[in-house]
Amino acid sequence: MEKKIEFMLRAIELSKNGLESGKGGPFGCVIVKDGKIIGEGNNQVTSTNDPTAHAEMVAIRNACKNINSFQLEGCEVYTSCEPCPMCLGAIYWARPDKIYFANNRSDAAEIGFDDAFIYDEIEEKIENRQIQMEPLGRMEALEIFKQWKLKTDKIEY
């Protein structure tokens, strides 16, 4: 069997494990580098009371820890469902080379995981968003940004 299919089937198996164990929603993810799984995870939102414990987030944390890096360059992400906006953002920050997904966002919406609201909110002007956002303390915070810009020993990312 082609390796890509094996990796995706492992992601799907993790989604089933999460479903059957009651740890969270039916989502699984594996991260692969050089033909080997370096990280994996299933959704653990309800079992950890952590709204960020989506399968992709758990897998990213696991993979980064395993390779001792905050970047996943040269890696591929295999996820049982098209990533939500949060996970997609985290994946982009991690910088893997490619994402493979099985179910799509419409499939997820049909079982109660509809992210359309979040996609819509991102496009809204700040003053029109459903959760009120108000600027506060910008001048003080800009001072820290100025210090970062001048810092000579920073680790770029």
Side-chain angles (χ1 to χ4, degrees):
M1 184 182 325
E2 187 182 355
K3 283 297 245 185
K4 290 179 186 179
I5 297 298
E6 287 180 30
F7 297 138
M8 182 56 75
L9 290 176
R10 176 62 182 154
I12 293 167
E13 179 183 11
L14 288 166
S15 73
K16 184 179 179 187
N17 292 350
L19 167 79
E20 291 175 347
S21 69
K23 289 186 175 182
F27 304 96
C29 180
V30 298
I31 299 176
V32 174
K33 184 171 185 147
D34 300 325
K36 295 180 182 174
I37 294 175
I38 60 165
E40 60 183 31
N42 60 280
N43 184 290
Q44 299 173 18
V45 169
T46 57
S47 61
T48 61
N49 293 320
D50 179 354
T52 69
H54 290 197
E56 296 90 342
M57 303 294 279
V58 173
I60 288 169
R61 292 171 185 147
N62 183 243
C64 287
K65 181 180 177 182
N66 289 338
I67 64 169
N68 195 32
S69 175
F70 56 85
Q71 302 275 272
L72 295 175
E73 292 170 328
C75 296
E76 296 174 333
V77 176
Y78 293 80
T79 182
S80 65
C81 188
E82 181 180 356
C84 75
M86 174 184 69
C87 293
L88 187 59
I91 290 167
Y92 270 89
W93 278 114
R95 296 182 178 91
D97 292 352
K98 192 164 188 174
I99 304 167
Y100 296 94
F101 65 93
N103 293 318
N104 62 40
R105 69 172 86 164
S106 297
D107 300 326
E110 286 182 27
I111 62 163
F113 294 93
D114 190 351
D115 298 323
F117 169 74
I118 298 170
Y119 285 107
D120 292 344
E121 282 290 285
I122 290 168
E123 296 298 320
E124 280 291 340
K125 292 182 180 178
I126 289 175
E127 60 271 12
N128 295 334
R129 292 184 178 163
Q130 295 296 311
I131 296 177
Q132 185 178 7
M133 297 179 71
E134 181 177 333
L136 181 65
R138 181 168 182 255
M139 295 312 294
E140 295 82 0
L142 277 175
E143 286 302 316
I144 307 305
F145 276 13
K146 288 176 187 174
Q147 290 176 30
W148 173 261
K149 187 174 183 179
L150 298 173
K151 186 173 173 64
T152 58
D153 63 343
K154 62 188 169 199
I155 298 173
E156 299 282 349
Y157 63 97

